[in-house]
Amino acid sequence: MPPRTRTRTRARGLSAFSIVAFIAAVVLLALFPKFVENPYAVHLMVTFFLAVIMGEAWNLIGGYGGQYSVGHAAYFGIGAYTVLVLLQTNGVAPWWGLLPALALALGVAAIVGSITFRLRGPYFVLASIAVAEIFRLVALNWKSATNGAEGILLSGVPPIVIGGTEIVNFSSKVPFYYMGLALAVLTVLVTVWFQGSKLGYYLQAIREDQDAANSLGIPLTFYKNIALMISAFFTAWAGALYGLYVGFIDPQTAVGLDISVQIVLTAIIGGIGTVFGPVVGAAILVALSEALRSNAITDLLVAGGLVSETSSIGIFLKDHLSHAHMLIYGFLVAIVILFMPDGVLGAVNNAARRRRARAAAGGAR
Amino acid sequence: MTIFLQSLLSGILIGGAYALIGVGLTIIFGVMRIINFAHGDLVMLGMYASYFLFTLGNVDPFVSIVFVFPLLFLFGAILQKTVINRVLNALPQNQILLTIGIGLILSNTMMLLFTSDYRIISTSYSSGSFRLGEISVSTPLLLSFGITGLVTAILYWFLLKTDTGQAIRATAQDRDAAQLMGVNVKRMSVLATGLGAGLAAVAGALISPTYYIFPQVGQPFTLKAFVIVVLGGMGSVMGATVGGIIIGATESLAGAYISSGLKDLVVYVLFLLILLFKPAGLFGKSRV
Amino acid sequence: MSETDSPILDIQHVSKQFGGLAANSDVSFSMTEGMILGLIGPNGAGKTTLFNCITGYYPPTKGDVIFKGKRLNGMTPDQVCKLGMVRTWQKVRPLAKLSVIDNVVVGALVRTGSVPEAREIAREQLHVVKLAHKADFLAGGLPIGERKKLEVARVLATKPDLLLLDEVMGGLNPAESEDIIQLILEIKQRGLTQMVIEHDMKAIMRISDRIVVLNSGEKLAEGAPLEIVSNPEVVTAYLGEAHT
Amino acid sequence: MTRLPLVVLAALLLAPSTAFAQVKIGVINSMTGPQAPIGENLTNGIKLAEEDLKAKGISVQLVWEDDTGKPQVGLSAMDKLATRDRVAGVVGAYTSAVTNAVAKKAEEYKVPLVNPVASKEEITRQGYKYVFRVSATTGDYASILLDMATTLGKPKTIAILSENTDFGVSGAKSAKAYAEKKGIKVVFEEAYSPGSPDYRSTLVKVKGSNPDIMFMVSYVADAITLMRQSRELQLTPMAFLGAGAGFSTAQFASEKNISNSVFSSTQWTPDVSWKGSKAFGDRYQKRFGKEPTYHAANAYTAMMIMGEVASKAAGDREKVAAGLRAGNWDGLFGPVKFEDFDGYQNQNKHQMLVEQVQDGKYATVWPPALQSGKPIWPFPGWK
């Protein structure tokens, strides 16, 4: 990266504006299901929360720590499989099943970290992929536990009952909405804490220059491991939530390479190493992929009277735009990397900074 | 014993094509320090090129490589000049993501153009074989292995004996030093990407008569190429050649003696072990 | 054990080989507390390699490094830093995307778990190196002279007993060099021990209490600055006609 | 600025769906992603059904949703269809994994779902009231083949080779159970990872176990690879049996020197004596430039049934479900009726077929009542 010359950084922590906006957003989101009952809307929001949780979790080790794991599907899968296997075959309620799932993710992260963090740069990236693929293949072949390729179909999530009264019933999406929201908010808060903590400083130092960081008294592997464990913890939690919500997992959809890539994309498109980057990335990716997949763009053009549905253009768009969504996705990734290397949030911040700098220069004259 | 020899032989023969894919990746990595996640998609493009030459032009897939190589060389070179070149000094994760994006664009463009139908090239020798005692040898595989050997020999000659080849190797060994010595590093990057793409495509063309073709066919080859390149040592052409054959044989033997469902697992575990205990690979210089 | 008679750093017969190449062979010398030791020698004499061996970047092939009575062999750089010995880098290594003060905070955190406390320490050190006015700038955007100062502030923040400074004046103009010389002398005033690699002979003569000359990985001479200047071996091997 | 995506998201959620003019039917299918090659057959079948419905004066509006082969995306599609597009019913999905997830949602929303081809048995064994399946189930693929084999010959041993996917593994499982029931010994069983260019090491082991018959469950192109390499290794059992999918494609058949005499179970063939089959096959060939697979016929049938019922019920979901439960149809897919039996609910009891490649073309050879050619048994050897 070319050094940005003489730009002033803002003080650490969040600005008052961000804090107010964040609280307002959380309050609005908490009230959202009260006003919008449409399950499709609720579903998209749950998908959005899951993406936020995973993006924020990855951001800790990938964004702040510069350790670009393309293998987070392993932890996602551990969360999803542990909870669903315990529930479906052993009848363990998910909130109890979550504990061993998270513990397992922590343990696996500690082991994987102490093995792979000796590697740097591209070697680490490739090792992380290999680890995740190994987990996928284990899920595929350890049939007695995971039911192999056939996957696990959940027959239902038992309601939470306290003293004979049903507290939460999981037959609607709303409990998942709130769980997703709560966990997303939690990961954002953890990121805020992390950014200002010794751990966060150390990880950023490691990202910038491992040797320099090491010479300043930072034990590299230890701190990378801690960050990976926190990251794995929340990724596994997201996996568990996903498994319970969708009710079906198999090796490809719970431990596939796609998931790892998706997680990295969320963080990088939004902007890594920032508190809200993954939130922005999740919003963009969820909205865009849904809009493309469901032909919403064509529908909007039609509804807006720009294109007639029966015209040849309308038919062409309907036929091809949804087929092309992965293509457009590919272009989006390429464009962001080429023109906004700090992610969308980074680009916006840079633009704002430039504007401020111009304004300051203008005022001085 | 028959099982062992048969598996070993077919593994080695398949490994030849893997080696070409790996060599392409390792040259790109060596010169630019970029891991090309779209590498398998370049193999896919080579397969399609060979398919259309076969069905439309009646060109035998093994002959088609004389067209496929320059075509994809050009494509790779243009890709480097217009896109990849812009991220040469970017963060590694951005480089990786860019190549992932390129891969998505390539495979999905092919899908839009040619649908996602599986395409098969059936030559007169596609399922031919001859017997060698108890073992049967696949004619197309043997042919493709022979051609792979020829291509590799030409490549070695190019890298060792020509000025351009030596400049590429120098850049792969130490980009900064090469630049100081007056090597036009930018040009080498373009050449390396072209060469890498061309070799991947040749491998695709060579596999095509015994395999099948569809837009998403590339991804497994990308992962396999990573393993091969790490095994041989990133940036080492010799390493990738040997690595490809080792991986081919390992897969085949694991399929015979463990289970064909677990052969990928064996390969990945091998990969991790190499990364951990000999991260420089079999032929690489340590630069971890 | 009284502080004056036991050396703070004792280097005993250190050798370092890379493959068949000897970068250091059988180097021995020691430092007492509060002194400045100048380490000089032509390019490729093995000065930086010696720094790397001392600070645990890689272990010496043979010999011992003893710091404050402890044998360091096999320790990692972070452990060495915690013991109170820290180095700067010849090619400066700022944490580019962090602000100037955050760079120093990272150094200070080795002694405290509290970020606010580390910020206090960092602010003090920025005052010492006269960079306080740039506290909120991105470290990657600083000009070279200020980056060198930042390196010093960062290592000072780790509260070391012994500093190893690798060409902190390299690439600086005379005024900037003078700033650094004053800084090194000020650090000495505070009782810290320093080992300095430097090419600028005038500067090294001014600041050093003692000088060690390396040539082809071996120790060629050791002594007070005046002895070194008048040592004929040093003059022929290294200083030559350049020094008048 | 940073809130822009949220605004887009909100617009997406709240945009009014277009007017409620005609009956809407949702289609969930894998149009992109790894399953797309087969998904395309379904798309084509449904397009022909749409034309035929129009020709019958039934005008329905189709809302296409791509599930990209992923269950969570399928859920998203189902939510959208049920609540935003307010469809009368849904036809889909292709894969069993997606269908599993989608069926559960359909039941929750009480949206009638007609599934064309997903064959996983559990799908219609959950006690669902709104999930209907045209397709036969996994077990049927194996049992029709083994029934035929035991009638035509006396096989004593079987090798089962399947790809390590949901479809492959469950197919192998039912084959094993049925073979044991029939007194055939399973001498080799393995699940391979699909997409490999080299299965020789596995096939050598099969050869070593010397089975009387060989049963394979594979997707499209792996079937060709497997047979090519079987020929290479001179594997000669009494018969090669393929469970649909890769073994019943025109492409496979056209590779005569490796596909001749291979049997495959299938749900439909163009030359079966059900009415309209041949015409459908010709029309499909003309329109899309390739022969239809059973997926296309299944999807066509599912859409025709859904279209007719939904338009008769004027889009009322309860009436659609009732219509599906009560009706019976007869067309190019043979008789269709949704019944409860053997633990299934609303499952069509479909008559499976066995086809055999004879001189590069498929002939329907089993059951005898529906055959268009005589089966060649045993395997005559490689040419």
Side-chain angles (χ1 to χ4, degrees), chain D residues 31-303:
Chain D
M31 299 193 262
T32 61
Q35 320 293 347
I38 303 206
E40 197 176 319
N41 297 314
L42 277 82
T43 303
N44 293 344
I46 291 171
K47 277 184 182 158
L48 293 185
E50 194 182 8
E51 288 172 15
D52 286 359
L53 286 170
K54 206 167 266 169
K56 281 186 166 182
I58 299 171
S59 159
V60 288
Q61 188 193 338
L62 300 190
V63 184
W64 295 83
E65 296 286 333
D66 180 10
D67 61 39
T68 70
K70 293 178 190 157
Q72 76 274 26
V73 180
L75 281 186
S76 180
M78 191 70 205
D79 281 329
K80 175 174 171 290
L81 291 172
T83 63
R84 195 177 145 223
D85 299 311
R86 298 179 203 288
V87 296
V90 174
V91 172
Y94 162 48
T95 68
S96 288
V98 178
T99 308
N100 259 329
V102 164
K104 205 161 138 191
K105 284 288 141 190
E107 186 68 13
E108 269 173 44
Y109 289 124
K110 300 187 178 359
V111 172
L113 175 76
V114 176
N115 179 267
V117 283
S119 58
K120 198 180 177 69
E121 289 162 7
E122 286 92 319
I123 293 170
T124 42
R125 280 183 169 165
Q126 306 289 327
Y128 295 152
K129 292 190 181 64
Y130 295 86
V131 177
F132 303 81
R133 176 156 61 179
V134 170
S135 173
T137 63
T138 322
D140 302 337
Y141 282 88
S143 48
I144 184 85
L145 281 169
L146 294 180
D147 282 343
M148 179 195 72
T150 45
T151 316
L152 295 175
K154 293 266 168 295
K156 289 190 186 60
T157 55
I158 183 170
I160 300 173
L161 186 58
S162 68
E163 61 168 43
N164 201 352
T165 61
D166 185 19
F167 175 66
V169 171
S170 42
K173 223 197 271 175
S174 356
K176 189 181 183 188
Y178 200 75
E180 277 163 359
K181 203 168 116 192
K182 289 261 167 185
I184 305 172
K185 195 171 161 226
V186 179
V187 290
F188 179 90
E189 194 192 357
E190 200 163 289
Y192 64 86
S193 18
S196 166
D198 180 16
Y199 296 114
R200 293 176 186 87
S201 54
T202 312
L203 293 169
V204 163
K205 279 194 289 180
V206 174
K207 196 178 177 189
S209 70
N210 198 21
D212 287 342
I213 48 176
M214 185 165 164
F215 181 82
M216 292 170 282
V217 194
S218 306
Y219 268 117
V220 185
D222 282 329
I224 296 179
T225 313
L226 280 170
M227 290 312 297
R228 274 180 179 169
Q229 295 177 5
S230 295
R231 180 184 179 212
E232 214 181 287
L233 299 170
Q234 297 289 309
L235 212 60
T236 43
M238 244 180 240
F240 288 100
L241 310 175
F247 294 92
S248 58
T249 63
Q251 218 166 16
F252 179 75
S254 66
E255 299 286 312
K256 326 191 230 196
N257 53 8
I258 54 148
S259 60
N260 258 350
S261 309
V262 174
F263 292 99
S264 170
S265 47
T266 180
Q267 303 204 28
W268 178 85
T269 58
D271 67 356
V272 70
S273 54
W274 289 322
K275 77 180 166 208
S277 281
K278 184 143 182 23
F280 180 79
D282 293 344
R283 187 167 142 225
Y284 190 100
Q285 172 85 45
K286 213 185 244 163
R287 175 77 189 278
F288 303 108
K290 53 189 169 192
E291 264 186 57
T293 63
Y294 69 84
H295 307 94
N298 282 40
Y300 172 88
T301 307
M303 180 50 77

Side-chain angles (χ1 to χ4, degrees), chain B residues 158-180:
Chain B
F158 170 73
L159 290 175
L160 293 171
K161 300 287 177 199
T162 66
D163 290 350
T164 318
Q166 283 178 341
I168 289 182
R169 284 194 323 158
T171 315
Q173 256 163 27
D174 190 332
R175 196 180 168 86
D176 295 333
Q179 192 146 27
L180 286 175

Side-chain angles (χ1 to χ4, degrees), chain A residues 3-9 12 196-198 201-202 204-205 207-209 211-212 214-219 342, chain C residues 57 77-78 81-82 86 89 93 95-97 99 102 105-106 109-110 112 115 119 134 136-138 140-141 154:
Chain A
R4 233 169 280 119
T5 46
R6 290 176 182 260
T7 32
R8 217 171 246 278
T9 59
R12 256 170 198 283
S197 73
K198 178 171 180 172
Y201 272 93
Y202 272 18
Q204 292 183 74
R207 175 188 70 202
E208 294 298 316
D209 189 330
D211 291 329
N214 198 204
S215 78
L216 291 172
I218 303 176
D342 291 331
Chain C
Y57 191 66
D78 53 290
C81 173
K82 283 200 184 96
V86 65
W89 302 84
R93 304 180 93 148
L95 309 173
K97 284 194 164 186
S99 68
D102 285 346
V105 167
V106 168
L109 280 169
V110 75
T112 169
V115 173
R119 287 190 92 76
K134 291 274 178 96
D136 289 334
F137 281 59
L138 279 183
R154 203 166 66 178

Side-chain angles (χ1 to χ4, degrees), chain A residues 188-268:
Chain A
V188 169
L189 294 178
V190 165
T191 308
V192 172
W193 161 80
F194 181 89
Q195 180 169 268
S197 73
K198 178 171 180 172
L199 186 56
Y201 272 93
Y202 272 18
L203 262 294
Q204 292 183 74
I206 290 170
R207 175 188 70 202
E208 294 298 316
D209 189 330
Q210 301 210 27
D211 291 329
N214 198 204
S215 78
L216 291 172
I218 303 176
L220 303 177
T221 306
F222 177 77
Y223 279 96
K224 290 185 204 169
N225 260 339
I226 299 288
L228 178 66
M229 285 166 76
I230 300 174
S231 180
F233 181 86
F234 286 109
T235 309
W237 203 337
L241 196 56
Y242 167 87
L244 292 170
Y245 176 61
V246 174
F248 176 81
I249 53 170
D250 66 6
Q252 193 54 44
T253 55
V255 213
L257 185 59
D258 284 3
I259 297 170
S260 301
V261 172
Q262 202 70 26
I263 293 174
V264 181
L265 284 183
T266 307
I268 292 189

Side-chain angles (χ1 to χ4, degrees), chain B residues 223-239:
Chain B
L223 290 180
K224 216 158 269 176
F226 290 164
V227 178
I228 291 165
V229 166
V230 168
L231 180 67
M234 283 214 200
S236 161
V237 175
M238 175 64 122

Side-chain angles (χ1 to χ4, degrees), chain A residues 36-59:
Chain A
V36 181
E37 280 173 4
N38 185 330
Y40 176 53
V42 177
H43 168 81
L44 286 187
M45 293 310 291
V46 175
T47 313
F48 167 65
F49 293 146
L50 282 169
V52 170
I53 299 162
M54 291 187 279
E56 291 285 352
W58 184 88
N59 195 27

